[in-house]
Amino acid sequence: MTTVLEISDIKKNFGGIKAVDGVSFDVQEGEILGLIGPNGCGKSTLFNCILGQLQPSAGEVKVDGKVVTGFRPSDLNRLGVSRTFQLLQVFPKLSVRENLILAGQEHQGNMLSRLLGPSDAGLSKAADQMIEFFKLGHLAGELAGGLSYGQQKLLDAAMAFMGGPRLVLLDEPAGGVNLTMLGDLKARLAEINREKRATFVVIEHNMEFVMSLCSRVVVMAEGKVLAIGTPAEIRANSAVIDAYLGH
Ligand SMILES: Nc1ncnc2c1ncn2[C@@H]1O[C@H](COP(=O)(O)OP(=O)(O)O)[C@@H](O)[C@H]1O
Ligand SMILES: [Mg+2]
């Protein structure tokens, strides 16, 4: 097995708040790892520490065996690491296609092509592939701001895949999305995982989504890891049931 992501004893304090308090786990190549836990337990902060939006107070992040702690997001993009945010990051005044191309440019860190405008660099083709893959063809020319919330979440996820990433961290990709779109998103993620051997870490509250999509699940509570296991192990874990699955 090849370890794609390894985090060791990550801590992040905000003043007196220990938002992330010594989290360690690894993610194997081709795996879909779920990250669950109650609101405020530190999941998004952990993603921010991994992807360079925040400097961890302590701990180490490795991608493909290389220490990348404190690297900038653009440096991580170039290493094939990508993410989505809990809140939508689409540009409402750009079309679906333009959003994808812009995301591709960001992943390439291609400032020059951004300044010079849409000189392509293979991004049109990649955008067309994403549009087809995420079944957004009928919406390709529409302004992102005019799409339904669920369609925007799907576009947001598609944007994270524009650089052909090896590792993608998804922060509540299905949050606020209706059941049909949820099924679509799950099918797209499962297929891209299978076909491209892309590795994912997914934060999500929808248990059915997590348990059916993920090979392993990490449960966090109050900044710490409460349990790690297969969906079946997590469902049967009494500490998890008490703290989170509860009712
Ligand atoms: N930038 C910040 N400044 C101060 N406190 C923060 C900041 N971001 C998150 N927190 C706090 O850290 C804790 C964990 O938040 P977060 O990582 O967003 O949790 P989750 O994503 O699991 O819901 C919460 O108590 C939250 O209020
Ligand atoms: Mg969050």
Side-chain angles (χ1 to χ4, degrees), residues 97-109:
R97 204 158 182 287
E98 288 165 341
N99 266 283
L100 288 164
I101 287 173
L102 197 64
Q105 288 172 346
E106 300 232 327
H107 293 154
Q108 288 178 344

Side-chain angles (χ1 to χ4, degrees), residues 181-216:
M181 296 295 296
L182 196 81
D184 279 357
L185 181 68
K186 196 169 81 176
R188 300 295 87 210
L189 293 179
E191 191 176 338
I192 221 166
N193 167 257
R194 220 172 27 240
E195 283 185 3
K196 312 252 193 247
R197 294 294 289 161
T199 304
F200 303 133
V201 183
V202 187
I203 297 175
E204 189 44 61
H205 285 294
N206 185 302
M207 276 307 120
E208 199 279 325
F209 185 93
V210 170
M211 296 299 188
S212 58
L213 187 66
C214 298
S215 43
R216 285 188 306 153

Side-chain angles (χ1 to χ4, degrees), residues 44 86 171-172:
S44 293
Q86 189 166 347
D171 195 346
E172 303 198 21

Side-chain angles (χ1 to χ4, degrees), residues 14 17 19 38-45 86:
F14 295 113
I17 301 173
N39 273 330
C41 73
K43 305 179 297 296
S44 293
T45 302
Q86 189 166 347

Side-chain angles (χ1 to χ4, degrees), residues 13 40 43 49 57 61 91 158 196 233 235:
N13 306 325
K43 305 179 297 296
C49 289
S57 311
V61 181
F91 297 94
K196 312 252 193 247
E233 287 164 353
R235 271 190 224 275

